[in-house]
Amino acid sequence: MGEAQKGLLSVVEKLKGTTEQEVRIVLLGLDNAGKTTLLKSLASEDVNTITPTQGFNIKSVASHGMKLNVWDIGGQRKIRAFWKKYLENTDLLIYVIDSADKKRFEETGLELSELIDEENLKGVPVLIFANKQDLATASPASEIAEGLNLHTYRDREWQIQACSAVSGEGVQDGMNWICNNIANRKKK
Amino acid sequence: MAEDDSEWVLESIVGFLGSPEWVIPVTDFMENKCTVFDDEEENKLSYTEIHQQYKNLVEKLLENYMQEVGINEQQFLYACTSPFAKSKTLQIVFQPVLATDDFQMFRSLMVQKNMELQLQALRVMKERNGELPECLTHGADVMTELQQQEMKILHQVLQKSKEEYEEEMSFRMLLDEENGSTSSSSSDKPFREKQASTSSQQDSTAKELPESEQDQLQQRATYLRQQRDRLHALKKEQQKSSYNSPPEEAPSSPTEISAEEKKRLQKRKHLAEKLKEEVIKK
């Protein structure tokens, strides 16, 4: 972590007295994909009063002896230009897709591939949440994976996880993958 | 070698963090930029920009100092991770430095600074005016107070017109009684003549009364207007002191700004209350 940061501030980073391992996770995806709902679901908070995010939300979740700092940044088109500013020192990317919004599969695929090409996300593992599986019209995760050409990703670990942020189903499975993945990386 | 130095290095850095060369620019920065930081759960995109500026500032200040005194990064790190540096008092001193790497910490420092400034503004207002305007103490805010004042004026005007109307009606009835015997279809002309001739004395007093009332009303209206202007000026001043760079300028319409103002005032009040609570608790 933090190797990318140079100079004095990288020294400051080492000053933090925490023994706990901190992990920076960025949560992205189109508007209305369910990023904030997922974030709140991760933090075991109420998911019924969520409005479209105009800025960003941060939650710290303790899991597997690690402190996961999850940054959820608004997905509206005009905010997407700001995503880049949040990618530095990221340990893991979570990308959320509305599995029932077939009309925007192409758009979400484009945004994802742009992120994958970002220098700051080079080699950063990506977890894709195929969200809203509670809806009858949701596409299965396997279909979405195919549409996104995930199998062509050779430079990083990736995983697609079907979930419903509203019911919480599948969310923990995704988190387990994240923790295992990061624990493995740190060992190496 | 570095470890031997750690004590004086740490001392020197702590000294610097208490010196005007550090405190003034950092405090200036915080006071200038804290106004957009509220205690809403969601962060604004602008926070990130400000955090970046803060990082640049701190880095520049520390680097300059270290260069000046001749401390390298390795020594800095050793010194700041030594057991001495882990004491509670020093951790507080280091907070503004650590905030460069910790957005959440930075944000809470900024929110706190914003609250402090708001409380300060409240205190200044209280000192200047003896008491806080209604809007900052009880539930009502400036706009409703103004509306109340306007309603008062309206009531007075209505009452006055009602009085005049009743006066005239009673006068007519009087006339009708007098004229009742002559003819039921008395035209306007004789009526007017009668009015002028029979009650010249009464008429003069009737005219004078509304006039004096009108005078009073006018005085009242100007007084109220002055009051309102003062309130506006106060509000502006308060805005200036706590909102150095107001995000929205030049109101597009008066109704819009009033709603916004209301919201802001309410928020401010809420913040102040919260802070007070916290302070008292402590």
Side-chain angles (χ1 to χ4, degrees):
Chain A
M1 269 199 300
E3 261 75 41
Q5 215 168 43
K6 288 195 180 65
L8 193 57
L9 293 184
S10 68
V11 177
V12 170
E13 195 189 326
K14 291 179 191 140
L15 295 183
K16 263 198 282 189
T18 47
T19 48
E20 218 176 359
Q21 188 184 356
E22 288 199 38
V23 179
R24 180 185 166 99
I25 297 176
V26 177
L27 186 57
L28 298 173
L30 299 189
D31 47 300
N32 200 39
K35 294 180 292 300
T36 306
T37 308
L38 191 68
L39 182 77
K40 296 232 172 183
S41 162
L42 283 176
S44 315
E45 288 177 17
D46 178 31
V47 295
N48 293 314
T49 54
I50 291 164
T51 54
T53 306
Q54 304 296 328
F56 59 100
N57 298 291
I58 308 170
K59 296 253 177 261
S60 294
V61 188
S63 182
H64 295 68
M66 287 181 273
K67 188 180 171 199
L68 310 180
N69 296 319
V70 188
W71 293 57
D72 150 43
I73 297 138
Q76 289 168 31
R77 194 178 282 275
K78 64 176 195 302
I79 306 175
R80 287 179 216 159
F82 293 89
W83 283 0
K84 281 198 202 92
K85 299 189 174 184
Y86 296 86
L87 303 180
E88 217 176 301
N89 298 326
T90 295
D91 297 299
L92 192 131
L93 170 68
I94 299 179
Y95 196 79
V96 188
I97 291 172
D98 177 351
S99 308
D101 191 4
K102 293 193 177 68
K103 268 188 247 156
R104 296 211 290 167
F105 278 177
E106 197 186 332
E107 188 184 346
T108 197
L110 281 174
E111 293 289 353
L112 177 61
S113 63
E114 266 182 45
L115 285 170
I116 292 298
D117 290 338
E118 277 290 334
E119 187 58 32
N120 275 323
L121 291 181
K122 208 174 169 189
V124 169
V126 54
L127 170 66
I128 291 139
F129 269 121
N131 192 22
K132 306 202 186 178
Q133 291 295 328
D134 52 305
L135 298 180
T137 54
S139 300
S142 56
E143 212 172 278
I144 291 171
E146 209 170 306
L148 294 175
N149 288 320
L150 290 183
H151 55 275
T152 63
Y153 290 4
R154 304 267 180 238
D155 59 340
R156 74 192 70 221
E157 299 281 332
W158 62 268
Q159 169 82 358
I160 186 159
Q161 173 67 50
C163 81
S164 162
V166 175
S167 73
E169 212 178 327
V171 174
Q172 201 46 55
D173 296 326
M175 292 320 282
N176 289 342
W177 182 82
I178 288 175
C179 292
N180 289 334
N181 193 288
I182 286 170
N184 285 338
R185 270 163 66 92
K186 299 290 171 187
K187 263 185 228 154
K188 278 173 198 168
Chain B
M1 55 113 216
E3 270 167 288
D4 300 332
D5 297 335
S6 68
E7 213 166 310
W8 77 261
V9 171
L10 181 64
E11 231 166 74
S12 150
I13 291 168
V14 170
F16 173 62
L17 295 181
S19 75
E21 285 89 55
W22 165 270
V23 172
I24 290 174
V26 169
T27 310
D28 267 0
F29 179 91
M30 289 192 154
E31 286 184 351
N32 280 322
K33 307 281 182 177
C34 73
T35 50
V36 294
F37 285 78
D38 53 35
D39 65 345
E40 301 262 320
E41 197 186 353
E42 191 176 307
N43 301 290
K44 295 171 191 155
L45 292 171
S46 55
Y47 294 1
T48 306
E49 184 68 30
I50 294 169
H51 191 207
Q52 190 56 49
Q53 291 167 2
Y54 181 74
K55 285 184 198 177
N56 296 343
L57 173 74
V58 168
E59 186 170 28
K60 205 182 77 203
L61 288 174
L62 274 180
E63 251 168 16
N64 285 348
Y65 175 72
M66 281 162 61
Q67 219 165 20
E68 207 176 286
V69 184
I71 302 173
N72 63 35
E73 284 177 11
Q74 214 40 250
Q75 287 172 307
F76 177 76
L77 184 61
Y78 270 123
C80 298
T81 47
S82 72
F84 280 122
K86 295 283 173 230
S87 72
K88 254 207 170 136
T89 38
L90 284 192
Q91 281 298 301
I92 290 170
V93 174
F94 274 110
Q95 227 177 23
V97 180
L98 296 175
T100 56
D101 186 55
D102 189 334
F103 174 79
Q104 303 276 57
M105 191 192 274
F106 175 69
R107 189 199 127 118
S108 71
L109 285 177
M110 292 301 257
V111 170
Q112 197 186 334
K113 178 59 79 180
N114 195 8
M115 281 188 190
E116 279 171 22
L117 287 189
Q118 295 193 18
L119 271 187
Q120 232 170 53
L122 286 177
R123 221 173 17 238
V124 168
M125 280 168 74
K126 215 168 180 174
E127 269 166 22
R128 274 198 202 151
N129 300 292
E131 59 178 314
L132 290 175
E134 190 84 2
C135 63
L136 290 172
T137 52
H138 304 300
D141 67 36
V142 174
M143 289 323 282
T144 59
E145 196 178 305
L146 280 177
Q147 278 161 2
Q148 271 172 8
Q149 289 171 347
E150 257 146 41
M151 278 309 278
K152 252 189 222 162
I153 295 177
L154 199 67
H155 268 299
Q156 281 172 341
V157 170
L158 280 173
Q159 204 169 355
K160 193 182 152 220
S161 95
K162 194 181 164 205
E163 273 166 18
E164 276 173 1
Y165 173 78
E166 272 169 359
E167 235 167 72
E168 198 174 319
M169 280 314 279
S170 64
F171 186 63
R172 268 191 210 204
M173 256 151 67
L174 205 79
L175 276 178
D176 276 353
E177 260 171 51
E178 273 179 18
N179 295 352
S181 54
T182 53
S183 74
S184 57
S185 62
S186 61
S187 70
D188 216 16
K189 214 179 159 192
F191 170 78
R192 283 248 182 241
E193 276 170 3
K194 269 256 155 71
Q195 187 184 20
S197 59
T198 53
S199 58
S200 60
Q201 213 185 346
Q202 198 191 354
D203 201 34
S204 67
T205 52
K207 240 184 203 165
E208 215 168 300
L209 192 71
E211 224 171 300
S212 66
E213 249 177 83
Q214 230 159 20
D215 247 14
Q216 248 180 357
L217 218 63
Q218 213 133 39
Q219 270 174 14
R220 222 189 147 67
T222 44
Y223 167 74
L224 289 175
R225 216 163 290 139
Q226 277 170 357
Q227 199 84 326
R228 185 178 57 184
D229 287 347
R230 256 181 49 202
L231 276 169
H232 271 304
L234 250 172
K235 232 171 14 175
K236 242 179 227 164
E237 202 178 299
Q238 180 194 358
Q239 251 174 23
K240 238 188 252 165
S241 62
S242 62
Y243 279 81
N244 280 314
S245 51
E248 57 273 300
E249 284 146 3
S252 49
S253 78
T255 49
E256 226 179 71
I257 197 74
S258 80
E260 227 159 67
E261 210 90 55
K262 254 186 215 176
K263 218 177 132 193
R264 191 184 298 163
L265 279 165
Q266 219 127 37
K267 233 183 222 169
R268 191 167 300 163
K269 227 168 32 201
H270 180 70
L271 270 175
E273 268 162 26
K274 217 169 155 183
L275 193 59
K276 263 184 210 158
E277 233 172 68
E278 274 173 25
V279 169
I280 288 165
K281 252 191 241 161
K282 277 171 194 166

